[in-house]
Amino acid sequence: MPAAIALVVILSLLAVFQLALALGAPLGRFAWGGQHRVLPGRLRIGSLVSIVIYAIIAVLALDRAGLIDVVPDVVSTVGMWVVFAYFVIGIPLNAISRSKPERYVMTPVVTILAVLSLLVALS
């Protein structure tokens, strides 16, 4: 349960970050390859989609941890393994970013998310 809560807290912080990006905050060097200080329209939409994805992941994690019961167990079980794979794939993608801020901040964040999602998947 602590891993699921930690995962949801980090995802919530990332959702706030993505919302700020979608609203035009000059934080683009930390996301989407770091090519833009302020994101163009298509990447702002991508940030909004990211928030939806984070919410789905949060529901899966909380369901898997037994804190809520909104999806069948097989969905939360398989879903958390998919989430784990998603974050594992994200590690090298962030690590090879041309943006130093993205590499130095987001690579450790996604690594932590991968570990937490693994713990939730194994629970």
Side-chain angles (χ1 to χ4, degrees), residues 70-118:
V70 293
V71 297
D73 287 344
V74 69
V75 172
S76 63
T77 300
V78 172
M80 282 311 302
W81 285 107
V82 171
V83 167
F84 169 65
Y86 172 77
F87 288 135
V88 167
I89 291 168
I91 294 169
L93 293 178
N94 280 284
I96 64 171
S97 173
R98 292 182 186 160
S99 166
K100 284 184 183 181
E102 184 175 20
R103 272 197 319 264
Y104 296 149
V105 173
M106 293 306 179
T107 303
V109 169
V110 77
T111 301
I112 292 167
L113 290 170
V115 170
L116 290 171
S117 63
L118 175 62

Side-chain angles (χ1 to χ4, degrees), residues 21 47-48 62 76 119:
L21 288 171
S47 286
L48 293 174
L62 294 173
S76 63
L119 294 173

